[in-house]
Amino acid sequence: MSSLSVAMKVAVIGSGISGAVCASTLARNGVSVTIFESGRGPGGRMSQRREIGEDGKELMFDHGAPFFSVSNSDAMALVHEWESRGLVSLWKQAFGSFDCASNKFLGVQEGDANKYVGVPGMNSISKALCHESGVQSMFGTGIAKLEWLEEELPWLLKDSKGEYLGRFDGVVASDKNIGSPRFTQLTGLPPPLDLNLVPELATKLQHIPVLPCFSLMLAFKEPLSLIPAKGLSFKNSQILSWAHCDSTKPGRPTDSERWILHSTPDYANSVIAKTGLQKLSNETLHKISEEMFKEFLCSGLVSSLPFFMKAHRWGSAFPAKSIAVEERCLWDRNRNLAICGDFCVSPNVEGAILSGLAAASKLLQTSSSL
Ligand SMILES: Cc1cc2nc3c(=O)[nH]c(=O)nc-3n(C[C@H](O)[C@H](O)[C@H](O)COP(=O)(O)OP(=O)(O)OC[C@H]3O[C@@H](n4cnc5c(N)ncnc54)[C@H](O)[C@@H]3O)c2cc1C
């Protein structure tokens, strides 16, 4: 590594698993990295939600990705490293499939050796990577403008108030809306990246279709003992696609039994068609909670009522298209700009990890040729 490459400054937009893996890989290779995350904490769709029950006690929920699997050897090597650091663990519980038409289980399989969870929450990996040596993390800081100046440290970043956030040699963006009109739909602001700057990437970035999902967080005083599995996929339900028992994951408190239900994309789309993408009122969220819970009750699997119930909307839970399966990220060498995330490779944690690694590799090639 040359002394020049040590001085390379890179901004990473987003602290989901792709951005966090990219930032950590860059920092380990001597790059100075700043992560900008619009959310209050790290993890993106691998976040952990903290709620307070009526008794004042804390309730934690993995309301995004419940677990992940890996098959690629590069991703596997990272997961094994995280496992040795105590950041992830295997979740060895029985999983099943439930048919809502016949109200019967179609099958239950014993836990396998490839279902990983973050410990003590799904966000533990991103949290650790965001605080590694050489990585500075700014939470609650959304990037609203990426300006290109024909000078040293050509990228200038600003937030939604137009505040200056810094100058960088390179940028990695893990936001699929960075150059898309959907950013305007969500924020009312123009997209941060002017696609005229990166004409070769423009077509791919203009519109990436997504599937939405609602998560329903539930806490019960007593275990739901009629359910023979801790993760369930639902067949023949208009409303529910998945349920899992969060409190059976390693490292979670067991003073209550916490379940999370996921809606089908069709159900989520039908709600969004009526409400749009703006913030949902408590009344609407309550109605969604009731509809999802009623469907769970109809299965005959629920033996008691929850003491806590709250819905969360994931407007872009899963990308419906992968835009860079071969390259694993988009890259503009003239601008030192990489775009990474699950939407590049595959709509899951492994795809996001591989994309973050690919983006880091592109920037490291640049830094070594400086
Ligand atoms: C309900 C649900 C269930 C899932 N189930 C599974 C599963 O079982 N297995 C599996 O492998 N995967 C699952 N996934 C998918 C998995 O969570 C994602 O594939 C993965 O977490 C994506 O990581 P990412 O880094 O690409 O994106 P994200 O996690 O979305 O990270 C992007 C980050 O960028 C931030 N950001 C965006 N724009 C800006 C901006 N302008 N400025 C600053 N920050 C910004 C966001 O706040 C976010 O934190 C699930 C997802 C959901 C929502």
Side-chain angles (χ1 to χ4, degrees):
M1 172 106 1
S2 74
S3 57
L4 271 177
S5 65
V6 172
M8 187 180 194
K9 281 183 72 186
V10 172
V12 174
I13 303 175
S15 71
I17 193 70
S18 64
V21 163
C22 179
S24 153
T25 309
L26 289 171
R28 285 176 186 203
N29 284 279
V31 175
S32 160
V33 185
T34 307
I35 296 182
F36 295 98
E37 167 58 56
S38 54
R40 275 177 294 168
R45 279 169 283 155
M46 288 178 82
S47 295
Q48 194 183 40
R49 179 85 163 248
R50 179 175 175 271
E51 294 286 346
I52 302 291
E54 274 176 9
D55 58 0
K57 282 196 187 149
E58 193 175 65
L59 297 166
M60 305 301 276
F61 296 94
D62 293 331
H63 65 321
F67 69 92
F68 64 95
S69 301
V70 281
S71 56
N72 172 280
S73 56
D74 293 337
M76 188 80 83
L78 268 185
V79 172
H80 285 155
E81 186 208 314
W82 298 335
E83 205 175 4
S84 69
R85 292 167 64 186
L87 301 174
V88 304
S89 193
L90 282 167
W91 184 30
K92 293 184 194 155
Q93 292 286 346
F95 278 53
S97 172
F98 185 81
D99 179 24
C100 292
S102 60
N103 267 11
K104 285 202 176 105
F105 274 92
L106 300 174
V108 175
Q109 298 84 41
E110 286 313 306
D112 64 37
N114 195 7
K115 288 192 172 64
Y116 288 95
V117 295
V119 179
M122 287 303 281
N123 62 352
S124 63
I125 310 164
S126 287
K127 206 185 232 175
L129 301 184
C130 284
H131 292 102
E132 280 184 351
S133 164
V135 181
Q136 196 197 350
S137 294
M138 314 263 292
F139 297 107
T141 310
I143 297 301
K145 186 76 196 147
L146 288 169
E147 278 179 29
W148 173 263
L149 311 169
E150 294 288 349
E151 297 169 14
E152 210 180 313
L153 295 168
W155 284 110
L156 186 154
L157 272 60
K158 290 182 179 167
D159 69 10
S160 58
K161 295 188 197 109
E163 297 278 340
Y164 167 84
L165 294 171
R167 298 273 300 265
F168 299 90
D169 296 294
V171 170
V172 178
S174 68
D175 174 15
K176 65 182 127 354
N177 299 325
I178 199 85
S180 137
R182 191 174 162 96
F183 187 89
T184 309
Q185 264 180 289
L186 294 169
T187 63
L189 298 169
L193 177 66
D194 175 0
L195 291 182
N196 291 318
L197 283 173
V198 287
E200 285 176 20
L201 311 188
T203 326
K204 288 190 168 167
L205 275 178
Q206 240 148 24
H207 174 62
I208 300 169
V210 290
L211 299 173
C213 174
F214 281 94
S215 292
L216 181 64
M217 299 169 273
L218 299 166
F220 298 87
K221 289 217 162 69
E222 303 295 331
L224 300 188
S225 49
L226 299 176
I227 308 182
K230 300 305 176 195
L232 296 182
S233 55
F234 290 100
K235 306 281 173 248
N236 294 314
S237 169
Q238 305 279 322
I239 299 180
L240 295 183
S241 64
W242 167 261
H244 74 270
C245 183
D246 219 37
S247 45
T248 59
K249 293 179 182 173
R252 271 63 171 181
T254 50
D255 50 349
S256 62
E257 180 154 299
R258 294 176 305 287
W259 282 79
I260 294 167
L261 314 182
H262 292 168
S263 77
T264 59
D266 283 352
Y267 173 77
N269 268 324
S270 71
V271 174
I272 290 170
K274 288 182 220 140
T275 60
L277 282 171
Q278 55 272 64
K279 195 171 185 289
L280 294 176
S281 65
N282 285 342
E283 194 189 344
T284 307
L285 281 173
H286 185 70
K287 189 165 166 265
I288 293 159
S289 304
E290 301 233 301
E291 280 177 355
M292 289 178 69
F293 184 65
K294 194 169 156 212
E295 182 80 349
F296 196 32
L297 265 184
C298 284
S299 66
L301 296 171
V302 185
S303 43
S304 62
L305 290 177
F307 68 87
F308 178 89
M309 175 160 99
K310 193 168 188 177
H312 173 86
R313 179 186 64 197
W314 293 101
S316 307
F318 305 98
K321 186 169 128 184
S322 304
I323 62 169
V325 177
E326 293 292 315
E327 288 280 295
R328 296 184 177 166
C329 68
L330 298 185
W331 171 240
D332 188 313
R333 75 176 70 226
N334 298 319
R335 308 281 185 207
N336 275 350
L337 173 73
I339 311 284
C340 70
D342 61 347
F343 56 92
C344 290
V345 182
S346 54
N348 49 39
V349 172
E350 181 171 34
I353 292 173
L354 292 175
S355 190
L357 285 173
S361 154
K362 293 290 184 196
L363 277 145
L364 290 172
Q365 280 164 25
T366 300
S367 83
S368 62
S369 64
L370 279 178

